[in-house]
Amino acid sequence: MDRFRGVDVLRADQFNREDLEVILERARQMADALERGEALDTMEGKILATLFFEPSTRTRLSFEAAMLRLGGKVVSVADPKSSSAVKGESLPDTIRTVEGYADVIVVRHPERGSAEVAAEATDRPVINAGDGAGQHPTQALLDLFTIFKERGRVEGLTVTLAGDLKHGRTVHSLSQVLALYGVKLILASPEALRMPPEIVEGLRSAGVDVAETGDLKSALSRSEVLYMTRVQRERFEDPAAYERVKGAFILTRKMLEASGRDITVMHPLPRVDEITVDVDPLPGAAYFRQAANGVPVRMALLSLIA
Ligand code: NCD
């Protein structure tokens, strides 16, 4: 399978449906191998570098766990304050250095477009683990994998993406992946946090049925999947603007029960207060299973690319 060898993963909309099928199939194989406790060694002798210039728990650790599960090794900058970026080193210079140390490079950076900048600086494959308020393509892959696992299908579902759709890179990427699967999308957010119009236009011109609403309850009453997101405090220039919208959308157990529907609740995590903890024990609360799915999906990606 050489279609992905050496390829950069920068945006969700770089994938067509066939690409996604290949990645999902490989991820299922990885999940099965993990479940059987099989040791894999396809990445033996290879090194992954994870460069995180923004905080992360799940994305960095699941990439690293994925590489280790495949028999590879990992070098990491986990704390931006410990890298030479604080001395004023440019991202291209950092990447040109790291290419001498690793076979594949995962980058998270606060600037939108930084993954493209990193990819231009090296021939090594670069994976975007979040570029500011831009994209988070590998999260979208694990989200897609999760919907398949939880619901058995994606085609024909109504999926609500809720919360901070303006700054949330996970929903930018996920909406573009779902666009290839014939879902109905409901975009639920406060007015100030609506999905960027260029993304909505892109979805509509791809033929997706998209509805925008400010009413989470009405979205719930029509959905099979609810994807909640955190208000991205770090993306606000004006703290007062954050204060005005924080806590705008909170999902409670009562709301879910009142909907009378079997809803799969997802969240890329970290959660702040947008899902109350009494939701966690419900069978439809999938967010920690979703986080665990990061490992087989990232194993699939690394084994296809590196
Ligand atoms: C998300 C991110 O970093 O964009 N987290 C993640 O990767 N699972 C979501 C968030 O920070 O709200």
Side-chain angles (χ1 to χ4, degrees):
M1 177 56 64
D2 276 341
R3 72 191 288 156
F4 289 110
R5 200 67 57 207
V7 162
D8 298 313
V9 177
L10 303 178
R11 319 176 39 83
D13 57 6
Q14 78 185 61
F15 296 120
N16 61 30
R17 172 83 182 241
E18 207 187 322
D19 294 332
L20 296 173
E21 300 293 333
V22 170
I23 296 165
L24 287 177
E25 184 47 37
R26 178 69 66 99
R28 286 184 197 110
Q29 291 165 7
M30 294 297 178
D32 288 347
L34 285 176
E35 206 155 299
R36 289 194 299 267
E38 238 168 72
L40 300 169
D41 58 4
T42 50
M43 288 289 115
E44 208 183 315
K46 298 230 163 119
I47 296 179
L48 166 75
T50 54
L51 301 180
F52 279 67
F53 300 105
E54 264 192 354
S56 170
T57 301
R58 279 149 288 272
T59 305
R60 187 174 64 81
L61 292 184
S62 66
F63 261 115
E64 295 184 0
M67 190 63 174
L68 297 171
R69 291 275 188 211
L70 291 167
K73 293 197 161 61
V74 174
V75 292
S76 185
V77 172
D79 174 6
K81 290 189 224 67
S82 74
S83 85
S84 281
V86 288
K87 300 181 188 169
E89 184 169 53
S90 71
L91 182 61
D93 281 6
T94 303
I95 297 291
R96 286 184 67 184
T97 305
V98 172
E99 76 170 354
Y101 308 151
D103 304 283
V104 50
I105 303 171
V106 175
V107 190
R108 170 173 289 185
H109 191 280
E111 265 167 55
R112 194 197 291 250
S114 53
E116 276 87 356
V117 170
E120 271 165 33
T122 178
D123 289 333
R124 302 278 195 220
V126 168
I127 301 177
N128 181 6
D131 60 319
Q135 288 266 328
H136 194 348
T138 68
Q139 179 73 41
L141 297 173
L142 80 89
D143 294 339
L144 180 67
F145 182 81
T146 301
I147 298 174
F148 264 112
K149 241 181 125 179
E150 298 287 326
R151 307 294 309 196
R153 70 187 170 110
V154 177
E155 210 87 38
L157 294 177
T158 298
V159 179
T160 291
L161 307 179
D164 187 351
L165 307 183
K166 179 178 181 195
H167 306 103
R169 55 197 175 199
T170 65
V171 283
H172 301 164
S173 292
L174 178 58
S175 64
Q176 294 173 338
V177 161
L178 292 176
L180 302 177
Y181 279 86
V183 300
K184 203 173 166 229
L185 275 182
I186 302 176
L187 306 177
S189 70
E191 184 61 33
L193 301 179
R194 282 170 73 166
M195 185 70 96
E198 65 275 14
I199 294 187
V200 178
E201 278 156 33
L203 295 168
R204 291 210 166 109
S205 60
V208 186
D209 181 344
V210 185
E212 291 185 273
T213 179
D215 180 358
L216 182 58
K217 274 195 191 136
S218 86
L220 264 184
S221 70
R222 292 177 281 151
S223 304
E224 275 94 35
V225 176
L226 172 64
Y227 191 99
M228 290 295 292
T229 63
R230 170 180 74 88
V231 179
Q232 308 276 299
R233 183 212 289 258
E234 66 276 32
R235 311 275 177 237
F236 284 76
E237 274 162 29
D238 172 13
Y242 170 74
E243 292 300 322
R244 279 196 295 276
V245 287
K246 75 163 193 204
F249 274 25
I250 294 180
L251 178 73
T252 63
R253 182 174 181 133
K254 218 165 135 198
M255 281 162 72
L256 276 170
E257 285 171 351
S259 78
R261 296 176 65 86
D262 160 31
I263 296 174
T264 298
V265 182
M266 296 173 63
H267 191 305
L269 304 178
R271 153 176 65 183
V272 182
D273 58 2
E274 57 280 348
I275 302 178
T276 55
V277 293
D278 58 1
V279 173
D280 298 0
L282 296 178
Y287 25 95
F288 290 107
R289 294 191 291 277
Q290 177 186 355
N293 289 337
V295 176
V297 170
R298 291 179 167 123
M299 287 170 77
L301 214 51
L302 290 171
S303 75
L304 289 164
I305 284 168

